[in-house]
Short mmCIF file of all heavy atoms in Angstrom, two decimals:
data_model
loop_
_atom_site.label_atom_id
_atom_site.label_comp_id
_atom_site.label_asym_id
_atom_site.label_seq_id
_atom_site.Cartn_x
_atom_site.Cartn_y
_atom_site.Cartn_z
N ALA K 639 -42.74 2.48 -13.44
CA ALA K 639 -41.47 1.78 -13.74
C ALA K 639 -41.76 0.73 -14.77
O ALA K 639 -40.99 0.48 -15.76
CB ALA K 639 -40.81 1.28 -12.55
N ILE K 640 -42.95 0.11 -14.59
CA ILE K 640 -43.24 -1.06 -15.52
C ILE K 640 -43.56 -0.42 -16.97
O ILE K 640 -43.13 -0.98 -17.96
CB ILE K 640 -44.41 -1.82 -14.95
CG1 ILE K 640 -43.91 -2.64 -13.80
CG2 ILE K 640 -44.95 -2.80 -16.13
CD1 ILE K 640 -45.09 -3.30 -12.99
N MET K 641 -44.26 0.68 -17.00
CA MET K 641 -44.62 1.33 -18.25
C MET K 641 -43.32 1.80 -18.88
O MET K 641 -43.15 1.70 -20.23
CB MET K 641 -45.51 2.49 -17.97
CG MET K 641 -46.87 2.20 -17.53
SD MET K 641 -47.89 3.59 -17.15
CE MET K 641 -47.95 4.45 -18.73
N ALA K 642 -42.37 2.29 -18.11
CA ALA K 642 -41.11 2.82 -18.72
C ALA K 642 -40.29 1.65 -19.40
O ALA K 642 -39.65 1.84 -20.41
CB ALA K 642 -40.29 3.50 -17.70
N ALA K 643 -40.49 0.51 -18.83
CA ALA K 643 -39.78 -0.68 -19.42
C ALA K 643 -40.36 -1.22 -20.57
O ALA K 643 -39.82 -1.97 -21.46
CB ALA K 643 -39.73 -1.80 -18.30
N LEU K 644 -41.72 -0.90 -20.86
CA LEU K 644 -42.47 -1.36 -22.07
C LEU K 644 -42.58 -0.38 -23.10
O LEU K 644 -43.15 -0.80 -24.15
CB LEU K 644 -43.78 -2.01 -21.55
CG LEU K 644 -43.80 -3.24 -20.63
CD1 LEU K 644 -45.18 -3.55 -20.22
CD2 LEU K 644 -43.22 -4.40 -21.47
N VAL K 645 -42.35 0.91 -22.90
CA VAL K 645 -42.71 1.81 -23.92
C VAL K 645 -42.16 1.71 -25.17
O VAL K 645 -42.65 2.11 -26.24
CB VAL K 645 -42.50 3.31 -23.34
CG1 VAL K 645 -40.99 3.55 -23.27
CG2 VAL K 645 -43.12 4.41 -24.16
N HIS K 646 -40.96 1.06 -25.23
CA HIS K 646 -40.24 0.85 -26.57
C HIS K 646 -40.40 -0.71 -27.00
O HIS K 646 -39.72 -1.00 -27.96
CB HIS K 646 -38.75 1.17 -26.35
CG HIS K 646 -37.96 0.40 -25.34
ND1 HIS K 646 -38.29 0.49 -23.95
CD2 HIS K 646 -37.02 -0.60 -25.45
CE1 HIS K 646 -37.51 -0.40 -23.22
NE2 HIS K 646 -36.81 -1.08 -24.06
N ASN K 647 -41.39 -1.39 -26.39
CA ASN K 647 -41.66 -2.67 -26.82
C ASN K 647 -40.46 -3.62 -26.93
O ASN K 647 -40.12 -4.08 -28.10
CB ASN K 647 -42.42 -2.70 -28.14
CG ASN K 647 -43.03 -4.00 -28.56
OD1 ASN K 647 -43.36 -4.80 -27.69
ND2 ASN K 647 -43.19 -4.37 -29.86
N PRO K 648 -39.71 -3.75 -25.79
CA PRO K 648 -38.38 -4.52 -25.91
C PRO K 648 -38.56 -6.06 -26.30
O PRO K 648 -39.57 -6.59 -25.88
CB PRO K 648 -37.87 -4.29 -24.49
CG PRO K 648 -39.07 -4.27 -23.66
CD PRO K 648 -40.10 -3.49 -24.52
N LYS K 649 -37.50 -6.55 -26.89
CA LYS K 649 -37.52 -7.99 -27.16
C LYS K 649 -37.38 -8.85 -25.88
O LYS K 649 -37.76 -10.04 -25.76
CB LYS K 649 -36.58 -8.30 -28.25
CG LYS K 649 -36.78 -7.71 -29.58
CD LYS K 649 -35.65 -8.06 -30.48
CE LYS K 649 -35.85 -7.43 -31.87
NZ LYS K 649 -34.77 -7.75 -32.84
N VAL K 650 -36.65 -8.19 -24.94
CA VAL K 650 -36.36 -8.79 -23.61
C VAL K 650 -36.84 -8.04 -22.59
O VAL K 650 -36.33 -6.84 -22.41
CB VAL K 650 -34.81 -9.19 -23.49
CG1 VAL K 650 -34.61 -9.79 -22.15
CG2 VAL K 650 -34.34 -10.06 -24.66
N TRP K 651 -37.76 -8.53 -21.75
CA TRP K 651 -38.34 -7.68 -20.60
C TRP K 651 -37.91 -8.41 -19.30
O TRP K 651 -38.26 -9.54 -19.17
CB TRP K 651 -39.93 -7.65 -20.75
CG TRP K 651 -40.52 -6.79 -19.65
CD1 TRP K 651 -39.93 -5.81 -18.90
CD2 TRP K 651 -41.95 -6.83 -19.32
NE1 TRP K 651 -40.94 -5.29 -18.05
CE2 TRP K 651 -42.15 -5.85 -18.33
CE3 TRP K 651 -43.04 -7.63 -19.70
CZ2 TRP K 651 -43.35 -5.62 -17.72
CZ3 TRP K 651 -44.23 -7.31 -19.14
CH2 TRP K 651 -44.47 -6.36 -18.18
N ILE K 652 -37.19 -7.66 -18.50
CA ILE K 652 -36.59 -8.32 -17.31
C ILE K 652 -37.22 -7.54 -16.10
O ILE K 652 -37.18 -6.33 -16.03
CB ILE K 652 -35.01 -8.18 -17.31
CG1 ILE K 652 -34.47 -8.92 -18.51
CG2 ILE K 652 -34.40 -8.59 -16.01
CD1 ILE K 652 -32.92 -8.91 -18.62
N LEU K 653 -37.60 -8.35 -15.11
CA LEU K 653 -38.25 -7.76 -13.97
C LEU K 653 -37.66 -8.48 -12.76
O LEU K 653 -37.56 -9.68 -12.75
CB LEU K 653 -39.81 -7.99 -13.98
CG LEU K 653 -40.62 -7.51 -15.20
CD1 LEU K 653 -40.69 -8.73 -16.15
CD2 LEU K 653 -41.98 -7.04 -14.84
N ASP K 654 -37.20 -7.66 -11.75
CA ASP K 654 -36.61 -8.17 -10.48
C ASP K 654 -37.65 -7.81 -9.42
O ASP K 654 -37.82 -6.63 -8.98
CB ASP K 654 -35.27 -7.36 -10.23
CG ASP K 654 -34.46 -8.15 -9.20
OD1 ASP K 654 -34.95 -9.16 -8.69
OD2 ASP K 654 -33.41 -7.59 -8.82
N GLU K 655 -38.27 -8.90 -8.93
CA GLU K 655 -39.34 -8.77 -7.94
C GLU K 655 -40.47 -7.67 -8.24
O GLU K 655 -40.60 -6.73 -7.58
CB GLU K 655 -38.70 -8.47 -6.55
CG GLU K 655 -37.78 -9.51 -6.02
CD GLU K 655 -38.37 -10.81 -5.62
OE1 GLU K 655 -39.57 -10.81 -5.38
OE2 GLU K 655 -37.65 -11.84 -5.50
N PRO K 656 -41.10 -7.91 -9.46
CA PRO K 656 -41.96 -6.80 -9.87
C PRO K 656 -43.21 -6.58 -9.21
O PRO K 656 -43.85 -5.52 -9.42
CB PRO K 656 -42.16 -7.23 -11.42
CG PRO K 656 -42.21 -8.74 -11.30
CD PRO K 656 -41.15 -9.13 -10.32
N LEU K 657 -43.77 -7.56 -8.49
CA LEU K 657 -45.10 -7.49 -7.93
C LEU K 657 -45.16 -6.95 -6.58
O LEU K 657 -46.29 -6.80 -6.03
CB LEU K 657 -45.75 -8.89 -7.92
CG LEU K 657 -45.68 -9.57 -9.43
CD1 LEU K 657 -46.34 -10.96 -9.25
CD2 LEU K 657 -46.41 -8.74 -10.31
N THR K 658 -44.00 -6.58 -5.98
CA THR K 658 -43.87 -5.90 -4.69
C THR K 658 -44.71 -4.69 -4.56
O THR K 658 -44.37 -3.76 -5.42
CB THR K 658 -42.53 -5.81 -4.17
OG1 THR K 658 -41.74 -7.09 -4.16
CG2 THR K 658 -42.42 -5.42 -2.67
N GLY K 659 -45.62 -4.52 -3.66
CA GLY K 659 -46.26 -3.28 -3.44
C GLY K 659 -47.50 -3.06 -4.34
O GLY K 659 -48.10 -1.91 -4.29
N LEU K 660 -47.82 -3.94 -5.23
CA LEU K 660 -48.90 -3.80 -6.18
C LEU K 660 -50.22 -4.36 -5.52
O LEU K 660 -50.12 -5.38 -4.82
CB LEU K 660 -48.65 -4.43 -7.47
CG LEU K 660 -47.59 -3.78 -8.28
CD1 LEU K 660 -47.39 -4.60 -9.63
CD2 LEU K 660 -47.70 -2.35 -8.56
N ASP K 661 -51.38 -3.74 -5.79
CA ASP K 661 -52.65 -4.32 -5.41
C ASP K 661 -52.96 -5.46 -6.24
O ASP K 661 -52.53 -5.72 -7.34
CB ASP K 661 -53.68 -3.17 -5.37
CG ASP K 661 -53.88 -2.63 -6.72
OD1 ASP K 661 -54.41 -3.35 -7.70
OD2 ASP K 661 -53.43 -1.46 -6.94
N PRO K 662 -54.04 -6.29 -5.76
CA PRO K 662 -54.34 -7.54 -6.58
C PRO K 662 -54.75 -7.26 -7.98
O PRO K 662 -54.43 -8.02 -8.86
CB PRO K 662 -55.53 -8.09 -5.76
CG PRO K 662 -55.32 -7.59 -4.36
CD PRO K 662 -54.73 -6.21 -4.49
N THR K 663 -55.42 -6.16 -8.23
CA THR K 663 -55.78 -5.80 -9.70
C THR K 663 -54.55 -5.57 -10.51
O THR K 663 -54.55 -6.01 -11.57
CB THR K 663 -56.77 -4.65 -9.69
OG1 THR K 663 -57.92 -4.89 -8.88
CG2 THR K 663 -57.24 -4.32 -11.10
N SER K 664 -53.62 -4.67 -9.94
CA SER K 664 -52.50 -4.40 -10.73
C SER K 664 -51.62 -5.65 -10.88
O SER K 664 -51.01 -5.82 -11.97
CB SER K 664 -51.71 -3.35 -9.97
OG SER K 664 -52.46 -2.20 -9.85
N ILE K 665 -51.57 -6.58 -9.84
CA ILE K 665 -50.75 -7.81 -10.04
C ILE K 665 -51.43 -8.54 -11.23
O ILE K 665 -50.62 -9.24 -12.03
CB ILE K 665 -50.91 -8.62 -8.70
CG1 ILE K 665 -49.98 -7.92 -7.69
CG2 ILE K 665 -50.35 -10.02 -9.01
CD1 ILE K 665 -50.03 -8.62 -6.30
N PHE K 666 -52.63 -8.68 -11.25
CA PHE K 666 -53.34 -9.46 -12.38
C PHE K 666 -52.89 -8.81 -13.76
O PHE K 666 -52.68 -9.51 -14.69
CB PHE K 666 -54.83 -9.42 -12.24
CG PHE K 666 -55.54 -10.04 -13.31
CD1 PHE K 666 -55.75 -11.37 -13.56
CD2 PHE K 666 -56.17 -9.13 -14.26
CE1 PHE K 666 -56.34 -11.87 -14.59
CE2 PHE K 666 -56.89 -9.65 -15.42
CZ PHE K 666 -57.01 -10.95 -15.54
N GLU K 667 -52.99 -7.47 -13.75
CA GLU K 667 -52.68 -6.74 -15.03
C GLU K 667 -51.26 -6.95 -15.50
O GLU K 667 -50.94 -7.18 -16.71
CB GLU K 667 -52.94 -5.29 -14.96
CG GLU K 667 -54.50 -4.86 -14.79
CD GLU K 667 -55.26 -5.34 -16.05
OE1 GLU K 667 -54.70 -5.65 -17.08
OE2 GLU K 667 -56.48 -5.39 -15.82
N VAL K 668 -50.33 -6.97 -14.47
CA VAL K 668 -48.91 -7.11 -14.83
C VAL K 668 -48.73 -8.59 -15.36
O VAL K 668 -47.97 -8.75 -16.40
CB VAL K 668 -47.97 -6.93 -13.62
CG1 VAL K 668 -46.58 -7.35 -13.91
CG2 VAL K 668 -48.07 -5.40 -13.16
N LYS K 669 -49.33 -9.54 -14.73
CA LYS K 669 -49.23 -10.96 -15.21
C LYS K 669 -49.76 -11.12 -16.60
O LYS K 669 -49.15 -11.75 -17.50
CB LYS K 669 -49.95 -11.90 -14.23
CG LYS K 669 -49.23 -12.04 -12.87
CD LYS K 669 -49.77 -13.14 -12.03
CE LYS K 669 -51.18 -12.88 -11.58
NZ LYS K 669 -51.69 -13.98 -10.68
N GLU K 670 -50.87 -10.36 -16.93
CA GLU K 670 -51.48 -10.41 -18.20
C GLU K 670 -50.48 -9.82 -19.20
O GLU K 670 -50.26 -10.29 -20.40
CB GLU K 670 -52.78 -9.75 -18.21
CG GLU K 670 -53.85 -10.50 -17.58
CD GLU K 670 -54.11 -11.94 -18.08
OE1 GLU K 670 -54.41 -12.00 -19.31
OE2 GLU K 670 -54.02 -12.90 -17.31
N CYS K 671 -49.82 -8.67 -18.79
CA CYS K 671 -48.85 -7.99 -19.71
C CYS K 671 -47.71 -8.99 -20.01
O CYS K 671 -47.21 -9.02 -21.08
CB CYS K 671 -48.30 -6.79 -19.12
SG CYS K 671 -49.29 -5.32 -19.14
N MET K 672 -47.20 -9.80 -19.03
CA MET K 672 -46.18 -10.70 -19.22
C MET K 672 -46.60 -11.74 -20.26
O MET K 672 -45.70 -12.08 -21.16
CB MET K 672 -45.86 -11.38 -17.91
CG MET K 672 -45.17 -10.48 -16.87
SD MET K 672 -44.74 -11.48 -15.32
CE MET K 672 -44.05 -10.20 -14.34
N LYS K 673 -47.75 -12.25 -20.07
CA LYS K 673 -48.21 -13.35 -21.01
C LYS K 673 -48.35 -12.81 -22.42
O LYS K 673 -47.89 -13.38 -23.33
CB LYS K 673 -49.57 -13.96 -20.55
CG LYS K 673 -49.45 -14.64 -19.24
CD LYS K 673 -50.89 -15.16 -18.83
CE LYS K 673 -50.83 -15.83 -17.33
NZ LYS K 673 -52.22 -16.19 -16.95
N GLU K 674 -48.88 -11.58 -22.57
CA GLU K 674 -49.04 -11.01 -23.82
C GLU K 674 -47.73 -10.72 -24.49
O GLU K 674 -47.60 -10.82 -25.69
CB GLU K 674 -49.88 -9.83 -23.72
CG GLU K 674 -51.38 -9.99 -23.33
CD GLU K 674 -52.13 -8.73 -23.05
OE1 GLU K 674 -51.58 -7.68 -23.43
OE2 GLU K 674 -53.26 -8.69 -22.53
N HIS K 675 -46.81 -10.15 -23.75
CA HIS K 675 -45.52 -9.76 -24.24
C HIS K 675 -44.79 -11.04 -24.83
O HIS K 675 -44.15 -11.00 -25.86
CB HIS K 675 -44.70 -9.15 -23.21
CG HIS K 675 -43.61 -8.32 -23.76
ND1 HIS K 675 -43.68 -7.15 -24.43
CD2 HIS K 675 -42.16 -8.55 -23.80
CE1 HIS K 675 -42.48 -6.71 -24.90
NE2 HIS K 675 -41.58 -7.50 -24.36
N ALA K 676 -44.91 -12.14 -24.01
CA ALA K 676 -44.18 -13.38 -24.37
C ALA K 676 -44.89 -13.93 -25.62
O ALA K 676 -44.30 -14.61 -26.58
CB ALA K 676 -44.16 -14.41 -23.31
N ALA K 677 -46.28 -13.84 -25.77
CA ALA K 677 -46.99 -14.45 -26.85
C ALA K 677 -46.64 -13.76 -28.13
O ALA K 677 -46.88 -14.40 -29.21
CB ALA K 677 -48.51 -14.25 -26.57
N LYS K 678 -46.07 -12.52 -28.14
CA LYS K 678 -45.65 -11.85 -29.36
C LYS K 678 -44.23 -12.38 -29.76
O LYS K 678 -43.64 -11.81 -30.82
CB LYS K 678 -45.51 -10.37 -29.10
CG LYS K 678 -46.87 -9.75 -28.82
CD LYS K 678 -46.67 -8.25 -28.57
CE LYS K 678 -48.06 -7.62 -28.11
NZ LYS K 678 -47.88 -6.18 -27.76
N GLY K 679 -43.69 -13.39 -29.09
CA GLY K 679 -42.42 -13.92 -29.46
C GLY K 679 -41.23 -13.22 -28.63
O GLY K 679 -40.06 -13.65 -28.89
N ASN K 680 -41.62 -12.51 -27.65
CA ASN K 680 -40.58 -11.82 -26.84
C ASN K 680 -40.19 -12.70 -25.66
O ASN K 680 -40.88 -13.66 -25.33
CB ASN K 680 -41.05 -10.38 -26.40
CG ASN K 680 -41.30 -9.46 -27.53
OD1 ASN K 680 -40.52 -9.48 -28.46
ND2 ASN K 680 -42.54 -8.85 -27.50
N ILE K 681 -39.22 -12.22 -24.86
CA ILE K 681 -38.86 -12.87 -23.65
C ILE K 681 -39.30 -12.03 -22.44
O ILE K 681 -39.14 -10.87 -22.43
CB ILE K 681 -37.33 -13.04 -23.55
CG1 ILE K 681 -36.82 -14.10 -24.55
CG2 ILE K 681 -36.86 -13.55 -22.13
CD1 ILE K 681 -35.28 -14.19 -24.66
N VAL K 682 -39.85 -12.71 -21.41
CA VAL K 682 -40.15 -12.15 -20.14
C VAL K 682 -39.33 -12.95 -19.14
O VAL K 682 -39.55 -14.22 -18.94
CB VAL K 682 -41.68 -12.21 -19.82
CG1 VAL K 682 -41.88 -11.53 -18.41
CG2 VAL K 682 -42.48 -11.36 -20.84
N PHE K 683 -38.38 -12.35 -18.44
CA PHE K 683 -37.47 -12.93 -17.50
C PHE K 683 -37.65 -12.18 -16.26
O PHE K 683 -37.41 -11.04 -16.12
CB PHE K 683 -36.06 -12.74 -18.08
CG PHE K 683 -35.02 -13.35 -17.18
CD1 PHE K 683 -34.41 -14.58 -17.55
CD2 PHE K 683 -34.49 -12.74 -16.08
CE1 PHE K 683 -33.40 -15.25 -16.69
CE2 PHE K 683 -33.57 -13.29 -15.21
CZ PHE K 683 -32.95 -14.59 -15.66
N PHE K 684 -38.08 -12.91 -15.21
CA PHE K 684 -38.31 -12.23 -13.98
C PHE K 684 -38.00 -13.15 -12.78
O PHE K 684 -38.02 -14.38 -12.80
CB PHE K 684 -39.80 -11.79 -13.88
CG PHE K 684 -40.80 -12.77 -13.47
CD1 PHE K 684 -41.30 -12.78 -12.25
CD2 PHE K 684 -41.31 -13.61 -14.39
CE1 PHE K 684 -42.26 -13.80 -11.78
CE2 PHE K 684 -42.26 -14.58 -14.09
CZ PHE K 684 -42.79 -14.73 -12.72
N SER K 685 -37.61 -12.53 -11.73
CA SER K 685 -37.24 -13.21 -10.42
C SER K 685 -38.36 -12.91 -9.49
O SER K 685 -39.06 -11.91 -9.54
CB SER K 685 -36.00 -12.75 -9.88
OG SER K 685 -36.08 -11.39 -9.36
N SER K 686 -38.66 -13.89 -8.65
CA SER K 686 -39.73 -13.76 -7.65
C SER K 686 -39.56 -14.85 -6.61
O SER K 686 -38.95 -15.87 -6.73
CB SER K 686 -41.07 -13.96 -8.38
OG SER K 686 -42.08 -13.90 -7.46
N HIS K 687 -40.14 -14.37 -5.45
CA HIS K 687 -40.18 -15.44 -4.35
C HIS K 687 -41.66 -16.05 -4.19
O HIS K 687 -41.88 -16.91 -3.38
CB HIS K 687 -39.85 -14.69 -2.97
CG HIS K 687 -38.42 -14.39 -2.85
ND1 HIS K 687 -37.36 -15.32 -2.86
CD2 HIS K 687 -37.88 -13.11 -2.75
CE1 HIS K 687 -36.18 -14.65 -2.79
NE2 HIS K 687 -36.46 -13.39 -2.70
N ILE K 688 -42.50 -15.55 -5.13
CA ILE K 688 -43.91 -16.05 -4.98
C ILE K 688 -44.05 -17.22 -5.93
O ILE K 688 -44.20 -17.12 -7.12
CB ILE K 688 -44.85 -15.00 -5.34
CG1 ILE K 688 -44.55 -13.70 -4.50
CG2 ILE K 688 -46.45 -15.36 -5.08
CD1 ILE K 688 -45.40 -12.49 -4.83
N ILE K 689 -43.90 -18.48 -5.38
CA ILE K 689 -43.94 -19.67 -6.14
C ILE K 689 -45.26 -19.87 -6.92
O ILE K 689 -45.24 -20.25 -8.10
CB ILE K 689 -43.57 -20.88 -5.19
CG1 ILE K 689 -42.32 -20.73 -4.46
CG2 ILE K 689 -43.64 -22.14 -6.10
CD1 ILE K 689 -41.19 -20.80 -5.43
N ASP K 690 -46.32 -19.47 -6.32
CA ASP K 690 -47.65 -19.61 -6.92
C ASP K 690 -47.78 -18.88 -8.25
O ASP K 690 -48.27 -19.40 -9.31
CB ASP K 690 -48.81 -19.23 -6.10
CG ASP K 690 -48.98 -20.15 -4.85
OD1 ASP K 690 -48.36 -21.28 -4.95
OD2 ASP K 690 -49.65 -19.69 -3.84
N VAL K 691 -47.24 -17.62 -8.28
CA VAL K 691 -47.24 -16.74 -9.43
C VAL K 691 -46.30 -17.45 -10.50
O VAL K 691 -46.72 -17.45 -11.70
CB VAL K 691 -46.77 -15.35 -9.15
CG1 VAL K 691 -46.65 -14.47 -10.42
CG2 VAL K 691 -47.77 -14.65 -8.13
N VAL K 692 -45.10 -17.85 -10.15
CA VAL K 692 -44.23 -18.42 -11.15
C VAL K 692 -44.93 -19.66 -11.68
O VAL K 692 -44.74 -19.88 -12.95
CB VAL K 692 -42.88 -18.82 -10.43
CG1 VAL K 692 -42.04 -19.56 -11.29
CG2 VAL K 692 -42.17 -17.56 -9.91
N GLU K 693 -45.59 -20.47 -10.89
CA GLU K 693 -46.13 -21.78 -11.42
C GLU K 693 -47.27 -21.50 -12.45
O GLU K 693 -47.37 -22.20 -13.29
CB GLU K 693 -46.64 -22.51 -10.23
CG GLU K 693 -47.01 -23.94 -10.55
CD GLU K 693 -47.34 -24.84 -9.35
OE1 GLU K 693 -47.62 -24.16 -8.32
OE2 GLU K 693 -47.16 -26.04 -9.42
N LYS K 694 -48.00 -20.40 -12.14
CA LYS K 694 -49.11 -20.12 -13.10
C LYS K 694 -48.78 -19.50 -14.40
O LYS K 694 -49.45 -19.71 -15.38
CB LYS K 694 -50.06 -19.28 -12.28
CG LYS K 694 -50.85 -19.92 -11.16
CD LYS K 694 -51.76 -18.90 -10.45
CE LYS K 694 -52.45 -19.71 -9.30
NZ LYS K 694 -53.42 -18.78 -8.56
N ILE K 695 -47.68 -18.65 -14.39
CA ILE K 695 -47.45 -17.90 -15.67
C ILE K 695 -46.17 -18.26 -16.41
O ILE K 695 -45.98 -17.89 -17.49
CB ILE K 695 -47.37 -16.32 -15.38
CG1 ILE K 695 -46.19 -15.97 -14.51
CG2 ILE K 695 -48.75 -15.87 -14.71
CD1 ILE K 695 -46.05 -14.40 -14.39
#
Side-chain angles (χ1 to χ4, degrees):
I640 293 171
M641 290 176 61
L644 289 175
V645 70
H646 58 295
N647 191 28
K649 294 178 181 179
V650 178
W651 184 19
I652 297 178
L653 306 95
D654 193 2
E655 300 289 345
L657 304 180
T658 304
L660 295 180
D661 58 70
T663 303
S664 298
I665 290 175
F666 173 78
E667 294 297 344
V668 171
K669 291 191 293 184
E670 290 301 304
C671 280
M672 290 181 181
K673 294 176 183 177
E674 292 173 9
H675 198 69
K678 296 176 183 177
N680 300 311
I681 291 173
V682 176
F683 181 102
F684 79 103
S685 69
S686 178
H687 290 298
I688 308 174
I689 301 294
D690 292 342
V691 172
V692 173
E693 192 170 24
K694 289 179 181 178
I695 68 172

